[in-house]
Amino acid sequence: MTQTLIESLKQHVGQTVTIRGWLHNRRSSKGLEFLVVRDGSGVVQCVVTRDQVDNATWEAASSLTHESSLEVVGTVREDDRQLGGVEVTADRVAVVSLAEE
């Protein structure tokens, strides 16, 4: 799947996209991982839900450290609370390179 730049996600609402970038921030809460990903064009929040992804995706999302490089495949959805007005519901997260703490 072709990479989609974060700055253009608003044009892909309802579509499955692949974004590649670096982990800017990660928060966890009861079966959820909130990954803030940045590329050269912007930042977006990606939401990983434990009961909606496979074990490999959950482990990848949970293991990420600040500035790790990653790839996220997921569906873009509108969310006016988010920077850029969208967020990505992740179907798959892959670690490209894990940054040392």
Side-chain angles (χ1 to χ4, degrees), residues 7-67:
E7 70 182 354
S8 68
L9 289 176
K10 188 84 168 175
Q11 302 164 11
H12 297 280
V13 171
Q15 298 175 12
T16 299
V17 298
T18 299
I19 57 172
R20 295 181 183 104
W22 296 269
L23 184 69
H24 181 71
N25 191 28
R26 180 174 67 87
R27 301 181 324 278
S28 302
S29 176
K30 298 183 182 181
L32 296 171
E33 290 285 344
F34 299 96
L35 310 176
V36 179
V37 178
R38 67 176 175 80
D39 67 9
S41 70
V43 296
V44 67
Q45 177 172 274
C46 302
V47 181
V48 185
T49 305
R50 175 68 184 109
D51 62 357
Q52 295 179 353
V53 297
D54 61 25
N55 286 336
T57 292
W58 183 254
E59 292 301 319
S62 300
S63 72
L64 289 165
T65 55
H66 183 71
E67 290 302 313

